[in-house]
Amino acid sequence: MSRWKGLLYKEWIVARPGLAAVMIAVLLAIGVLPFLFHRYISGETSVITYGFVLSSFTLLFLSYMPVLSLFTSLTMDMKRADIWLHSPSSVGVLVGAKALFAVVTTVAAMVWLVFILMMVFLTSGGAAGIPEELGTGVFIGFFGEIGSLVLLISLIQLSVGFLFWSIYQGLRHKFGRILAVPVTFLLFIGSFWLNDKLSGLPAAERLLGAGEFRFPNTERLTQYSDLGIELSGSLAAGGLVVALAVSVLLFWLGLLLFDKKVAGA
């Protein structure tokens, strides 16, 4: 446990400037821009409506935060081979700590976003622009549901991104960057083609569509188009389980490839 704490603290020391920049960007996007848009673009649209629309785009940006954070940290440490070759921790632990830190900081950024949005809600006249049938709890629940979905997407992106980053590192080590870039890109495109073919099989369609997770707060909000929210209120349970299982598998494959690259460095 102390080893994990030390690795996570190391990530925190290195990542503090970048995290501060993300938090400030979220503050400006959610806490400032809605008021500016309301004042200078269209006063007929409420501040909180602008806030919700901008929050949707910001959440999309945050979904890429884990994989970008992992890439940045790995790229920095790749310049020092002794970190990987002489560390008492395994490659799995070293990379796992980076991935865990990336996910935790993304969750923190999402919580910060919701907090800022609630402050906007309170300072912009409370329920101005919000249907009376909806309470504050519905909005908190909505962002909890959407935040969970965005986090799932970010985990998938993290696993896929790490796998192909590892493939690129291995190819670059053997054949050089000029050949590694196009080959990795072709493999990446090919993975989408393979996924499309496999998911289109009748058995796969039945598995991916089995069961259902419902998002009650999202369903309620989609009834009010003036909020600019157009989202489905359900998610296939089979697809969710398969997505998580495949993400774990891809991350594990990425670790195997990266471990080989480190051993051959």
Side-chain angles (χ1 to χ4, degrees):
M1 183 61 69
S2 60
R3 182 173 299 175
W4 277 88
K5 288 181 179 178
L7 291 172
L8 291 173
Y9 182 72
K10 170 183 171 293
E11 295 299 317
W12 163 249
I13 294 298
V14 174
R16 282 185 299 182
L19 290 175
V22 170
M23 295 303 184
I24 293 172
V26 171
L27 175 62
L28 294 176
I30 310 303
V32 177
L33 285 182
F35 293 94
L36 295 178
F37 286 177
H38 176 72
R39 181 178 179 85
Y40 296 108
I41 295 180
S42 175
E44 297 180 357
T45 303
S46 65
V47 171
I48 195 61
T49 299
Y50 282 124
F52 275 110
V53 173
L54 290 169
S55 295
S56 301
F57 286 106
T58 306
L59 280 173
L60 178 63
F61 163 77
L62 291 178
S63 72
Y64 294 97
M65 184 174 168
V67 67
L68 293 176
S69 175
L70 180 62
F71 283 0
T72 302
S73 182
L74 285 170
T75 301
M76 292 177 63
D77 283 358
M78 284 297 291
K79 299 175 182 178
R80 294 184 55 192
D82 60 298
I83 292 179
W84 306 99
L85 296 175
H86 305 299
S87 172
S89 301
S90 65
V91 169
V93 172
L94 292 172
V95 176
K98 294 177 183 296
L100 178 60
F101 181 82
V103 172
V104 170
T105 51
T106 300
V107 173
M110 291 180 181
V111 173
W112 173 243
L113 181 151
V114 174
F115 173 76
I116 296 300
L117 188 63
M118 292 304 297
M119 294 299 100
V120 172
F121 177 82
L122 295 175
T123 57
S124 63
I130 301 299
E132 294 182 359
E133 296 86 348
L134 301 178
T136 304
V138 174
F139 292 96
I140 296 176
F142 164 73
F143 274 98
E145 294 167 356
I146 298 304
S148 300
L149 183 58
V150 171
L151 185 60
L152 171 62
I153 294 172
S154 69
L155 290 175
I156 296 172
Q157 293 175 161
L158 177 70
S159 300
V160 174
F162 176 61
L163 172 61
F164 283 95
W165 185 88
S166 299
I167 291 174
Y168 167 75
Q169 294 299 327
L171 292 173
R172 184 175 67 87
H173 179 70
K174 289 185 176 181
F175 306 111
R177 183 175 300 177
I178 294 178
L179 183 60
V181 171
V183 172
T184 304
F185 179 75
L186 289 175
L187 290 173
F188 182 72
I189 298 300
S191 69
F192 280 94
W193 176 85
L194 180 61
N195 175 73
D196 183 64
K197 292 297 182 182
L198 292 177
S199 60
L201 296 174
E205 289 182 344
R206 289 194 296 270
L207 175 62
L208 296 175
E212 190 178 49
F213 282 111
R214 302 207 66 82
F215 298 149
N217 297 295
T218 301
E219 287 181 335
R220 290 193 63 184
L221 283 177
T222 53
Q223 300 173 8
Y224 299 92
S225 59
D226 58 319
L227 293 180
I229 300 171
E230 295 291 341
L231 294 170
S232 173
S234 63
L235 183 69
L240 175 62
V241 173
V242 170
L244 289 174
V246 171
S247 296
V248 172
L249 175 62
L250 295 180
F251 193 81
W252 177 71
L253 289 175
L255 281 177
L256 291 181
L257 293 173
F258 185 60
D259 195 22
K260 278 188 175 183
K261 195 275 174 190
V262 170

